[in-house]
PDB file of all heavy atoms in Angstrom:
ATOM      1  N   TYR A  78      95.306  82.295 105.990  1.00  0.00           N
ATOM      2  CA  TYR A  78      96.427  81.382 105.779  1.00  0.00           C
ATOM      3  C   TYR A  78      96.056  80.020 106.361  1.00  0.00           C
ATOM      4  O   TYR A  78      95.441  79.952 107.429  1.00  0.00           O
ATOM      5  CB  TYR A  78      97.681  81.871 106.511  1.00  0.00           C
ATOM      6  CG  TYR A  78      98.273  83.145 105.965  1.00  0.00           C
ATOM      7  CD1 TYR A  78      98.226  84.325 106.706  1.00  0.00           C
ATOM      8  CD2 TYR A  78      98.905  83.164 104.732  1.00  0.00           C
ATOM      9  CE1 TYR A  78      98.783  85.499 106.219  1.00  0.00           C
ATOM     10  CE2 TYR A  78      99.474  84.336 104.239  1.00  0.00           C
ATOM     11  CZ  TYR A  78      99.414  85.496 104.982  1.00  0.00           C
ATOM     12  OH  TYR A  78      99.967  86.650 104.507  1.00  0.00           O
ATOM     13  N   PRO A  79      96.472  78.954 105.682  1.00  0.00           N
ATOM     14  CA  PRO A  79      96.273  77.643 106.286  1.00  0.00           C
ATOM     15  C   PRO A  79      97.191  77.495 107.493  1.00  0.00           C
ATOM     16  O   PRO A  79      98.336  77.948 107.455  1.00  0.00           O
ATOM     17  CB  PRO A  79      96.669  76.667 105.164  1.00  0.00           C
ATOM     18  CG  PRO A  79      97.451  77.458 104.179  1.00  0.00           C
ATOM     19  CD  PRO A  79      97.139  78.913 104.379  1.00  0.00           C
ATOM     20  N   LEU A  86      93.988  80.593 109.693  1.00  0.00           N
ATOM     21  CA  LEU A  86      94.341  81.831 110.390  1.00  0.00           C
ATOM     22  C   LEU A  86      93.849  83.014 109.543  1.00  0.00           C
ATOM     23  O   LEU A  86      94.235  83.148 108.384  1.00  0.00           O
ATOM     24  CB  LEU A  86      95.864  81.876 110.554  1.00  0.00           C
ATOM     25  CG  LEU A  86      96.464  83.043 111.338  1.00  0.00           C
ATOM     26  CD1 LEU A  86      97.747  82.585 112.022  1.00  0.00           C
ATOM     27  CD2 LEU A  86      96.742  84.249 110.468  1.00  0.00           C
ATOM     28  N   THR A  87      92.993  83.818 110.127  1.00  0.00           N
ATOM     29  CA  THR A  87      92.476  84.983 109.385  1.00  0.00           C
ATOM     30  C   THR A  87      93.316  86.206 109.757  1.00  0.00           C
ATOM     31  O   THR A  87      93.110  86.818 110.797  1.00  0.00           O
ATOM     32  CB  THR A  87      90.984  85.223 109.700  1.00  0.00           C
ATOM     33  OG1 THR A  87      90.278  83.997 109.429  1.00  0.00           O
ATOM     34  CG2 THR A  87      90.417  86.328 108.844  1.00  0.00           C
ATOM     35  N   ALA A  88      94.275  86.518 108.894  1.00  0.00           N
ATOM     36  CA  ALA A  88      95.199  87.621 109.192  1.00  0.00           C
ATOM     37  C   ALA A  88      94.564  88.981 108.913  1.00  0.00           C
ATOM     38  O   ALA A  88      94.881  89.967 109.571  1.00  0.00           O
ATOM     39  CB  ALA A  88      96.483  87.454 108.380  1.00  0.00           C
ATOM     40  N   ASN A  89      93.676  89.040 107.929  1.00  0.00           N
ATOM     41  CA  ASN A  89      92.915  90.266 107.619  1.00  0.00           C
ATOM     42  C   ASN A  89      91.479  89.870 107.372  1.00  0.00           C
ATOM     43  O   ASN A  89      91.212  88.906 106.643  1.00  0.00           O
ATOM     44  CB  ASN A  89      93.441  90.950 106.341  1.00  0.00           C
ATOM     45  CG  ASN A  89      94.670  91.818 106.536  1.00  0.00           C
ATOM     46  OD1 ASN A  89      95.133  92.460 105.599  1.00  0.00           O
ATOM     47  ND2 ASN A  89      95.225  91.839 107.739  1.00  0.00           N
ATOM     48  N   GLY A 106      98.497  99.065 115.411  1.00  0.00           N
ATOM     49  CA  GLY A 106      97.968  97.921 116.159  1.00  0.00           C
ATOM     50  C   GLY A 106      99.128  97.079 116.658  1.00  0.00           C
ATOM     51  O   GLY A 106     100.263  97.248 116.213  1.00  0.00           O
ATOM     52  N   GLU A 107      98.813  96.167 117.570  1.00  0.00           N
ATOM     53  CA  GLU A 107      99.876  95.363 118.174  1.00  0.00           C
ATOM     54  C   GLU A 107     100.495  94.384 117.170  1.00  0.00           C
ATOM     55  O   GLU A 107      99.925  94.095 116.130  1.00  0.00           O
ATOM     56  CB  GLU A 107      99.302  94.553 119.341  1.00  0.00           C
ATOM     57  CG  GLU A 107      99.036  95.387 120.559  1.00  0.00           C
ATOM     58  CD  GLU A 107      98.003  94.718 121.437  1.00  0.00           C
ATOM     59  OE1 GLU A 107      96.852  94.609 121.019  1.00  0.00           O
ATOM     60  OE2 GLU A 107      98.373  94.299 122.535  1.00  0.00           O
ATOM     61  N   SER A 108     101.621  93.846 117.585  1.00  0.00           N
ATOM     62  CA  SER A 108     102.314  92.851 116.775  1.00  0.00           C
ATOM     63  C   SER A 108     101.369  91.691 116.449  1.00  0.00           C
ATOM     64  O   SER A 108     100.671  91.191 117.316  1.00  0.00           O
ATOM     65  CB  SER A 108     103.514  92.340 117.560  1.00  0.00           C
ATOM     66  OG  SER A 108     104.199  91.397 116.797  1.00  0.00           O
ATOM     67  N   GLY A 109     101.342  91.299 115.181  1.00  0.00           N
ATOM     68  CA  GLY A 109     100.524  90.165 114.766  1.00  0.00           C
ATOM     69  C   GLY A 109      99.087  90.515 114.406  1.00  0.00           C
ATOM     70  O   GLY A 109      98.303  89.638 114.051  1.00  0.00           O
ATOM     71  N   CYS A 110      98.721  91.804 114.456  1.00  0.00           N
ATOM     72  CA  CYS A 110      97.318  92.162 114.174  1.00  0.00           C
ATOM     73  C   CYS A 110      97.008  92.149 112.676  1.00  0.00           C
ATOM     74  O   CYS A 110      95.845  92.199 112.290  1.00  0.00           O
ATOM     75  CB  CYS A 110      96.957  93.514 114.785  1.00  0.00           C
ATOM     76  SG  CYS A 110      97.719  94.914 113.955  1.00  0.00           S
ATOM     77  N   GLY A 111      98.047  92.104 111.843  1.00  0.00           N
ATOM     78  CA  GLY A 111      97.784  91.974 110.407  1.00  0.00           C
ATOM     79  C   GLY A 111      98.171  93.182 109.570  1.00  0.00           C
ATOM     80  O   GLY A 111      97.804  93.268 108.399  1.00  0.00           O
ATOM     81  N   LYS A 112      98.960  94.106 110.130  1.00  0.00           N
ATOM     82  CA  LYS A 112      99.335  95.334 109.418  1.00  0.00           C
ATOM     83  C   LYS A 112     100.153  95.014 108.161  1.00  0.00           C
ATOM     84  O   LYS A 112      99.850  95.488 107.072  1.00  0.00           O
ATOM     85  CB  LYS A 112     100.162  96.254 110.337  1.00  0.00           C
ATOM     86  CG  LYS A 112      99.502  96.578 111.661  1.00  0.00           C
ATOM     87  CD  LYS A 112     100.374  97.482 112.529  1.00  0.00           C
ATOM     88  CE  LYS A 112     101.655  96.848 113.064  1.00  0.00           C
ATOM     89  NZ  LYS A 112     101.441  95.764 114.042  1.00  0.00           N
ATOM     90  N   SER A 113     101.210  94.218 108.355  1.00  0.00           N
ATOM     91  CA  SER A 113     102.086  93.923 107.210  1.00  0.00           C
ATOM     92  C   SER A 113     101.362  93.081 106.172  1.00  0.00           C
ATOM     93  O   SER A 113     101.576  93.256 104.964  1.00  0.00           O
ATOM     94  CB  SER A 113     103.348  93.185 107.668  1.00  0.00           C
ATOM     95  OG  SER A 113     104.083  93.987 108.551  1.00  0.00           O
ATOM     96  N   THR A 114     100.514  92.171 106.631  1.00  0.00           N
ATOM     97  CA  THR A 114      99.741  91.350 105.689  1.00  0.00           C
ATOM     98  C   THR A 114      98.955  92.255 104.750  1.00  0.00           C
ATOM     99  O   THR A 114      98.963  92.072 103.534  1.00  0.00           O
ATOM    100  CB  THR A 114      98.765  90.436 106.461  1.00  0.00           C
ATOM    101  OG1 THR A 114      99.537  89.575 107.295  1.00  0.00           O
ATOM    102  CG2 THR A 114      97.913  89.614 105.517  1.00  0.00           C
ATOM    103  N   PHE A 115      98.307  93.260 105.311  1.00  0.00           N
ATOM    104  CA  PHE A 115      97.507  94.158 104.485  1.00  0.00           C
ATOM    105  C   PHE A 115      98.396  94.877 103.465  1.00  0.00           C
ATOM    106  O   PHE A 115      98.110  94.914 102.271  1.00  0.00           O
ATOM    107  CB  PHE A 115      96.745  95.163 105.354  1.00  0.00           C
ATOM    108  CG  PHE A 115      95.972  96.153 104.547  1.00  0.00           C
ATOM    109  CD1 PHE A 115      94.856  95.744 103.823  1.00  0.00           C
ATOM    110  CD2 PHE A 115      96.373  97.474 104.457  1.00  0.00           C
ATOM    111  CE1 PHE A 115      94.155  96.637 103.029  1.00  0.00           C
ATOM    112  CE2 PHE A 115      95.682  98.376 103.668  1.00  0.00           C
ATOM    113  CZ  PHE A 115      94.563  97.963 102.950  1.00  0.00           C
ATOM    114  N   ARG A 117     101.332  94.078 102.384  1.00  0.00           N
ATOM    115  CA  ARG A 117     101.920  93.168 101.383  1.00  0.00           C
ATOM    116  C   ARG A 117     100.967  92.960 100.214  1.00  0.00           C
ATOM    117  O   ARG A 117     101.402  92.784  99.082  1.00  0.00           O
ATOM    118  CB  ARG A 117     102.271  91.813 102.023  1.00  0.00           C
ATOM    119  CG  ARG A 117     103.609  91.817 102.779  1.00  0.00           C
ATOM    120  CD  ARG A 117     104.173  90.407 102.928  1.00  0.00           C
ATOM    121  NE  ARG A 117     103.245  89.498 103.555  1.00  0.00           N
ATOM    122  CZ  ARG A 117     103.122  89.329 104.874  1.00  0.00           C
ATOM    123  NH1 ARG A 117     103.906  89.995 105.697  1.00  0.00           N
ATOM    124  NH2 ARG A 117     102.235  88.489 105.366  1.00  0.00           N
ATOM    125  N   GLU A 123     101.469  89.699  97.767  1.00  0.00           N
ATOM    126  CA  GLU A 123     100.531  88.603  97.988  1.00  0.00           C
ATOM    127  C   GLU A 123      99.172  89.038  97.481  1.00  0.00           C
ATOM    128  O   GLU A 123      98.924  90.227  97.323  1.00  0.00           O
ATOM    129  CB  GLU A 123     100.399  88.322  99.485  1.00  0.00           C
ATOM    130  CG  GLU A 123     101.558  87.578 100.060  1.00  0.00           C
ATOM    131  CD  GLU A 123     101.256  87.165 101.488  1.00  0.00           C
ATOM    132  OE1 GLU A 123     100.581  86.140 101.659  1.00  0.00           O
ATOM    133  OE2 GLU A 123     101.672  87.894 102.400  1.00  0.00           O
ATOM    134  N   ASP A 237     106.851 100.167 106.159  1.00  0.00           N
ATOM    135  CA  ASP A 237     106.490  99.157 107.157  1.00  0.00           C
ATOM    136  C   ASP A 237     107.456  99.256 108.334  1.00  0.00           C
ATOM    137  O   ASP A 237     108.581  98.787 108.241  1.00  0.00           O
ATOM    138  CB  ASP A 237     106.516  97.754 106.545  1.00  0.00           C
ATOM    139  CG  ASP A 237     105.920  96.715 107.494  1.00  0.00           C
ATOM    140  OD1 ASP A 237     105.722  97.039 108.694  1.00  0.00           O
ATOM    141  OD2 ASP A 237     105.644  95.593 107.043  1.00  0.00           O
ATOM    142  N   GLU A 238     107.026  99.879 109.404  1.00  0.00           N
ATOM    143  CA  GLU A 238     107.866 100.099 110.597  1.00  0.00           C
ATOM    144  C   GLU A 238     109.208 100.694 110.181  1.00  0.00           C
ATOM    145  O   GLU A 238     110.256 100.335 110.714  1.00  0.00           O
ATOM    146  CB  GLU A 238     108.089  98.778 111.358  1.00  0.00           C
ATOM    147  CG  GLU A 238     106.814  98.078 111.783  1.00  0.00           C
ATOM    148  CD  GLU A 238     106.213  98.627 113.076  1.00  0.00           C
ATOM    149  OE1 GLU A 238     106.721  99.633 113.608  1.00  0.00           O
ATOM    150  OE2 GLU A 238     105.213  98.043 113.541  1.00  0.00           O
ATOM    151  N   ILE A 269     102.891 101.989 108.407  1.00  0.00           N
ATOM    152  CA  ILE A 269     102.588 100.964 109.410  1.00  0.00           C
ATOM    153  C   ILE A 269     103.411 101.222 110.657  1.00  0.00           C
ATOM    154  O   ILE A 269     104.620 101.448 110.568  1.00  0.00           O
ATOM    155  CB  ILE A 269     102.999  99.564 108.927  1.00  0.00           C
ATOM    156  CG1 ILE A 269     102.270  99.190 107.661  1.00  0.00           C
ATOM    157  CG2 ILE A 269     102.758  98.535 110.012  1.00  0.00           C
ATOM    158  CD1 ILE A 269     102.576  97.779 107.235  1.00  0.00           C
ATOM    159  N   HIS A 271     103.481 100.382 115.208  1.00  0.00           N
ATOM    160  CA  HIS A 271     102.771  99.843 116.372  1.00  0.00           C
ATOM    161  C   HIS A 271     102.622 100.933 117.435  1.00  0.00           C
ATOM    162  O   HIS A 271     102.085 100.693 118.501  1.00  0.00           O
ATOM    163  CB  HIS A 271     103.500  98.621 116.934  1.00  0.00           C
ATOM    164  CG  HIS A 271     104.918  98.902 117.299  1.00  0.00           C
ATOM    165  ND1 HIS A 271     105.971  98.564 116.478  1.00  0.00           N
ATOM    166  CD2 HIS A 271     105.452  99.520 118.360  1.00  0.00           C
ATOM    167  CE1 HIS A 271     107.091  98.977 117.034  1.00  0.00           C
ATOM    168  NE2 HIS A 271     106.808  99.560 118.177  1.00  0.00           N
ATOM    169  N   MET A 286      93.916  98.615 113.977  1.00  0.00           N
ATOM    170  CA  MET A 286      93.668  97.226 113.612  1.00  0.00           C
ATOM    171  C   MET A 286      93.770  96.337 114.839  1.00  0.00           C
ATOM    172  O   MET A 286      94.662  96.502 115.674  1.00  0.00           O
ATOM    173  CB  MET A 286      94.725  96.816 112.601  1.00  0.00           C
ATOM    174  CG  MET A 286      94.289  95.751 111.674  1.00  0.00           C
ATOM    175  SD  MET A 286      95.506  95.669 110.351  1.00  0.00           S
ATOM    176  CE  MET A 286      94.686  94.504 109.339  1.00  0.00           C
ATOM    177  N   PRO A 337      94.881  85.119 116.083  1.00  0.00           N
ATOM    178  CA  PRO A 337      93.976  85.190 114.936  1.00  0.00           C
ATOM    179  C   PRO A 337      93.513  83.800 114.490  1.00  0.00           C
ATOM    180  O   PRO A 337      92.742  83.673 113.551  1.00  0.00           O
ATOM    181  CB  PRO A 337      94.814  85.880 113.858  1.00  0.00           C
ATOM    182  CG  PRO A 337      96.226  85.731 114.280  1.00  0.00           C
ATOM    183  CD  PRO A 337      96.239  85.583 115.762  1.00  0.00           C
TER     184      PRO A 337
HETATM  185  N1  LIG B  83     102.748  83.669 105.267  1.00  0.00           N
HETATM  186  C1  LIG B  83     102.069  83.455 106.398  1.00  0.00           C
HETATM  187  N2  LIG B  83     101.615  82.231 106.706  1.00  0.00           N
HETATM  188  C2  LIG B  83     100.902  81.996 107.833  1.00  0.00           C
HETATM  189  N3  LIG B  83     100.607  82.963 108.723  1.00  0.00           N
HETATM  190  C3  LIG B  83     101.040  84.212 108.482  1.00  0.00           C
HETATM  191  C4  LIG B  83     101.795  84.521 107.298  1.00  0.00           C
HETATM  192  N4  LIG B  83     102.084  85.846 107.325  1.00  0.00           N
HETATM  193  C5  LIG B  83     101.536  86.336 108.452  1.00  0.00           C
HETATM  194  N5  LIG B  83     100.910  85.357 109.146  1.00  0.00           N
HETATM  195  C6  LIG B  83     100.168  85.520 110.420  1.00  0.00           C
HETATM  196  O1  LIG B  83      99.207  86.527 110.206  1.00  0.00           O
HETATM  197  C7  LIG B  83      99.074  87.337 111.349  1.00  0.00           C
HETATM  198  C8  LIG B  83      99.334  88.779 111.011  1.00  0.00           C
HETATM  199  O2  LIG B  83     100.705  88.931 110.719  1.00  0.00           O
HETATM  200  P1  LIG B  83     101.351  90.314 110.251  1.00  0.00           P
HETATM  201  O3  LIG B  83     102.763  90.055 109.933  1.00  0.00           O
HETATM  202  O4  LIG B  83     100.505  90.913 109.205  1.00  0.00           O
HETATM  203  O5  LIG B  83     101.227  91.188 111.580  1.00  0.00           O
HETATM  204  P2  LIG B  83     101.809  92.632 111.918  1.00  0.00           P
HETATM  205  O6  LIG B  83     100.674  93.447 112.428  1.00  0.00           O
HETATM  206  O7  LIG B  83     102.568  93.167 110.757  1.00  0.00           O
HETATM  207  O8  LIG B  83     102.792  92.316 113.129  1.00  0.00           O
HETATM  208  P3  LIG B  83     104.211  92.979 113.521  1.00  0.00           P
HETATM  209  O9  LIG B  83     103.879  94.283 114.187  1.00  0.00           O
HETATM  210  O10 LIG B  83     104.803  91.990 114.468  1.00  0.00           O
HETATM  211  O11 LIG B  83     104.999  93.163 112.270  1.00  0.00           O
HETATM  212  C9  LIG B  83     100.045  86.779 112.395  1.00  0.00           C
HETATM  213  O12 LIG B  83      99.333  85.907 113.241  1.00  0.00           O
HETATM  214  C10 LIG B  83     101.034  86.025 111.538  1.00  0.00           C
HETATM  215  O13 LIG B  83     101.589  84.958 112.268  1.00  0.00           O
END
Side-chain angles (χ1 to χ4, degrees):
Y78 293 111
L86 184 150
T87 305
N89 278 184
E107 285 157 293
S108 181
C110 71
K112 306 180 292 293
S113 298
T114 299
F115 177 69
R117 279 202 305 273
E123 284 188 82
D237 190 347
E238 303 278 6
I269 300 185
H271 57 260
M286 208 168 186

